[in-house]
Amino acid sequence: MKPLTTEEIRAVIARGKLRDTIFKALGVFCLALALVVIVALITDMVMKGSERFTLDFFLNFASRHANKAGILSAWVGSLLVMLVTGLAAVPLGIAAGLYLEEYAKRNWLTEIIEINITNLAAVPSIVYGLLALGIFVYQFGFGQSILSAGLTLALLILPIIIVSTREAIRAIPAMIREGSMAVGATRWQTCRYHIIPYAMPGILTGVIIGLARAIGETAPIITIGALTFIAFLPPAPFMGEPAAGLFDWVMAPFTVMPIQIFNWTSRPDPAFEINAAAAGFVLMAMVLSMNGVAIYLRYKLRKNIKW
Amino acid sequence: MSANNASDLPQVSDRLAYNAMRNWKERLIEAVLFGAAAISVLTTLGIVYVLVSESFHFFSNVSIVDFLTDTQWTPLFDDAHFGIMVLVSGTLVSSFVALAVAIPMGTVIAIYLSEFANSKVREVAKPILELLGGIPTIVFGYFALLVVTPLLQMVFPELPGFSLLSAGLVMGIMIVPYIASLSEDAMRAVPMSLREGAYAMGSTRLYTAIHVVVPAALSGLAASYILGISRAVGETMILAVAAGMQPNLTWNPMEPAATITSYIVQVALGDLPHGSIGYQTIFAAGLTLLLITLLFNILGQWLRAKYRENY
């Protein structure tokens, strides 16, 4: 092969640099496209929905008249379902993560559980809805209630919480455990007084991300039979005639924010588009602020922890 | 139980009793924690049990050959046909459109972030991508139907109000963050010495990225693509809102069609009596969906094992 002259080498280098620059531009373009989609989505919803951002919108029930319809039953429903989801998923997720990191022996049983959790994360959410329809709604007889919905979403986000718990626990150095065990603490005492408190911020990040995912989920809730048109609230404890019990609300029929939006987008009357835009913005604001808190928490943690 | 001076120290027998109780309590706690971990296995068993048992009733009424070969899906009509191909075609077409957007875009973003961008850009870009991944799918559905479809109709005037194309494009945007962030992790795990070797030989950044880093990270990239495929196949709300819900055996993305997931939503919205054939079809459709995603997961694990490189 003939050696290249200086000009040819310069040309080769220039070509390489040009390709680098072009690719860099392509990368920035793709990232910008992602940003444009977020901005377009939010601007569109704000512009279309702006006229509906009144107090009435939050305090009115769904209605046949687009300009009177509100999201009261939807956001109350979403909050109550999240409450059940959180109460079920958080203790279960932390316990499962703790077991796998601190207790589990390396054997086939542990391996099955671990493979299982990875695979569950890839199961489509609507399949969880079918599971819940078969088991919670009909087998256990919970009906089409807040309880069924909350438990379904809890199962759905359990893998997220377990994985983040495990990661948080794994980041704690072994000397913390050794120190605790050396002064005679049992395994549980070590977990209770050292591991869980130190891992808490990381666990919290996972919990928030999981709940943010759950609040936006629609498919599994539709499958278990959430109603799309509800003009009443679940019974508040000790209110009404006859007085409702403390936990009567968990068995009540319900609707949630995403279903309200789905209902409005699927109506032919374009007047409901405005409502869908406004409700979509409210839902986005809820989800994004939760995600924002989680990102901030993680960012702050990374800076503060020094073992 | 606390002993501050020698005279208060518990007797040996007391201490043994205390230890025994302590051990017992420890075992109990371990059992409870194990129970929590076992819930995940129970969930899987529950899914398989529900889908298989309901599908079993379904297949005792409908032959499995009809299910796989019939070209019509009209389970709720008097002249009922149960050809799952119709729903599978919608699912595959929409997934294909989504992946045609998500895989190139996600890969370019990942290469850019891991090989070109400085740490400041990365610190800003990653949370933005995460926000994109966190947007509820119903909001994406709204966006596809009421923003993207009208935009596309300016370019293709014959595009109907519901189409697999606009749903697929938006679904692609939704999947980009998953592919970008997993691929980036995989490429960052490639040891620096490989890059330095390439740079020392006079390679440009792009050449190093494509010929050294990407092949070394191939197993991770494959895993991220497989995850993207699973997401696309299982995505529900974008399709239910923007792709229409009419069963339609088509390979043309410009047409409206139902997917497996949007069919399930459609049936669940009506009230079919528990135990009717229409009610059982959603479990048969769900089982098909689960088998498809399972297939891709197995493929993914096989790919990961095959192309894994150790350094």
Side-chain angles (χ1 to χ4, degrees):
Chain A
M1 207 172 104
K2 211 166 66 97
L4 299 174
T5 65
T6 319
E7 280 77 48
E8 281 169 334
I9 292 174
R10 284 209 182 112
V12 168
I13 293 174
R15 231 179 305 143
K17 279 197 171 159
L18 183 67
R19 284 202 198 122
D20 269 13
T21 317
I22 292 174
F23 187 83
K24 222 171 171 176
L26 186 66
V28 173
F29 172 76
C30 284
L31 264 179
L33 199 63
L35 192 64
V36 164
V37 169
I38 301 181
V39 173
L41 209 130
I42 294 176
T43 343
D44 176 75
M45 288 194 302
V46 169
M47 273 168 43
K48 268 195 202 141
S50 58
E51 57 179 283
R52 307 281 356 237
F53 291 129
T54 57
L55 198 58
D56 278 352
F57 186 61
F58 291 91
L59 296 180
N60 279 1
F61 287 112
S63 159
R64 267 172 247 287
H65 305 285
N67 57 347
K68 281 191 201 143
I71 54 170
L72 179 63
S73 44
W75 69 257
V76 172
S78 271
L79 282 186
L80 293 178
V81 169
M82 281 309 107
L83 185 66
V84 175
T85 303
L87 286 178
V90 174
L92 272 179
I94 297 178
L98 199 60
Y99 176 80
L100 289 173
E101 276 307 308
E102 297 289 322
Y103 284 84
K105 297 167 192 75
R106 302 283 114 208
N107 58 17
W108 59 273
L109 198 59
T110 312
E111 205 153 299
I112 286 180
I113 293 176
E114 283 182 352
I115 293 173
N116 208 336
I117 290 170
T118 328
N119 282 335
L120 276 182
V123 170
S125 61
I126 194 149
V127 172
Y128 281 92
L130 293 176
L131 162 79
L133 182 62
I135 301 275
F136 296 144
V137 176
Y138 289 114
Q139 209 93 331
F140 292 176
F142 293 162
Q144 305 176 335
S145 62
I146 291 176
L147 182 63
S148 297
L151 292 181
T152 311
L153 294 179
L155 289 184
L156 186 70
I157 66 170
L158 208 51
I160 303 177
I161 298 181
I162 294 177
V163 168
S164 58
T165 302
R166 294 188 67 180
E167 269 166 21
I169 291 177
R170 218 172 300 155
I172 300 171
M175 62 181 185
I176 302 279
R177 296 177 189 88
E178 286 157 4
S180 167
M181 302 272 201
V183 294
T186 61
R187 199 174 277 274
W188 169 246
Q189 284 164 340
T190 308
C191 292
R192 168 78 183 73
Y193 297 102
H194 300 277
I195 304 292
I196 294 179
Y198 301 150
M200 212 54 212
I203 296 174
L204 215 56
T205 315
V207 167
I208 296 171
I209 288 178
L211 287 178
R213 162 109 195 265
I215 205 169
E217 273 296 343
T218 325
I221 305 254
I222 289 185
T223 321
I224 63 167
L227 301 178
T228 48
F229 194 97
I230 285 204
F232 54 87
L233 290 181
F238 314 121
M239 305 286 263
E241 196 58 49
L246 185 53
F247 292 110
D248 275 8
W249 57 269
V250 300
M251 299 310 274
F254 67 101
T255 191
V256 290
M257 291 289 294
I259 288 182
Q260 190 64 68
I261 298 169
F262 177 61
N263 179 245
W264 280 334
T265 47
S266 55
R267 283 182 190 223
D269 181 1
F272 284 101
E273 270 181 37
I274 299 171
N275 288 354
F281 181 75
V282 175
L283 179 65
M284 280 272 282
M286 285 162 139
V287 171
L288 292 188
S289 55
M290 283 165 92
N291 273 314
V293 170
I295 290 171
Y296 170 76
L297 214 64
R298 197 166 36 190
Y299 178 76
K300 209 175 157 193
L301 281 176
R302 220 172 26 197
K303 299 212 149 157
N304 282 354
I305 290 187
K306 283 188 199 73
W307 295 109
Chain B
M1 209 56 89
S2 72
N4 288 329
N5 50 52
S7 62
D8 284 347
L9 273 177
Q11 298 294 303
V12 173
S13 58
D14 285 350
R15 271 187 283 161
L16 283 179
Y18 177 59
N19 269 342
M21 203 183 75
R22 211 163 106 130
N23 284 339
W24 190 78
K25 201 175 142 200
E26 284 288 309
R27 292 242 176 86
L28 186 74
I29 286 166
E30 183 169 349
V32 168
L33 295 181
F34 174 77
I39 293 269
S40 78
V41 179
L42 289 181
T43 308
T44 309
L45 291 180
I47 288 173
V48 173
Y49 166 74
V50 167
L51 293 184
V52 170
S53 67
E54 292 289 346
S55 300
F56 182 76
H57 293 303
F58 174 78
F59 285 118
S60 55
N61 289 319
V62 177
S63 90
I64 207 157
V65 179
D66 281 355
F67 186 69
L68 293 175
T69 58
D70 205 326
T71 54
Q72 277 179 293
W73 177 264
T74 52
L76 308 179
F77 295 177
D78 287 338
D79 175 29
H81 285 275
F82 303 92
I84 194 73
M85 275 314 297
V86 179
L87 300 182
V88 172
S89 78
T91 304
L92 291 183
V93 171
S94 58
S95 303
F96 182 79
V97 173
L99 294 169
V101 174
I103 289 186
M105 219 175 126
T107 313
V108 167
I109 290 181
I111 294 179
Y112 172 72
L113 286 182
S114 105
E115 304 300 312
F116 288 82
N118 57 32
S119 59
K120 244 185 201 155
V121 174
R122 211 176 292 135
E123 289 280 297
V124 180
K126 278 213 134 180
I128 290 179
L129 285 176
E130 262 173 53
L131 287 188
L132 191 65
I135 294 174
T137 56
I138 183 74
V139 173
F140 273 124
Y142 160 89
F143 187 67
L145 180 69
L146 298 174
V147 180
V148 175
T149 303
L151 277 179
L152 286 174
Q153 277 169 335
M154 286 181 201
V155 188
F156 310 106
E158 72 281 12
L159 190 78
F162 295 108
S163 70
L164 289 172
L165 181 66
S166 78
L169 287 179
V170 173
M171 201 155 85
I173 297 282
M174 179 201 92
I175 296 169
V176 163
Y178 298 101
I179 293 187
S181 104
L182 271 182
S183 302
E184 205 231 321
D185 288 346
M187 288 197 272
R188 287 251 236 135
V190 173
M192 210 55 204
S193 57
L194 284 188
R195 286 188 196 95
E196 283 159 358
Y199 292 144
M201 303 278 284
S203 305
T204 60
R205 267 179 192 271
L206 185 60
Y207 193 90
T208 311
I210 292 174
H211 293 267
V212 177
V213 180
V214 168
L218 206 60
S219 68
L221 293 184
S224 80
Y225 297 162
I226 296 286
L227 179 81
I229 296 174
S230 300
R231 289 271 150 180
V233 169
E235 174 45 44
T236 312
M237 292 321 289
I238 300 177
L239 292 153
V241 171
M245 295 200 260
Q246 28 184 307
N248 181 4
L249 182 63
T250 178
W251 304 104
N252 179 3
M254 307 283 271
E255 287 180 28
T259 62
I260 299 178
T261 51
S262 66
Y263 170 75
I264 297 174
V265 162
Q266 190 186 15
V267 171
L269 279 174
D271 16 58
L272 278 175
H274 176 52
S276 69
I277 184 95
Y279 170 86
Q280 284 157 1
T281 55
I282 63 176
F283 290 94
L287 185 63
T288 314
L289 179 69
L290 189 70
L291 289 178
I292 295 175
T293 44
L294 190 69
L295 192 76
F296 280 120
N297 272 325
I298 293 170
L299 186 72
Q301 264 155 20
W302 178 76
L303 276 177
R304 217 169 343 181
K306 189 167 181 221
Y307 291 110
R308 163 150 305 156
E309 302 207 11
N310 285 316
Y311 299 104

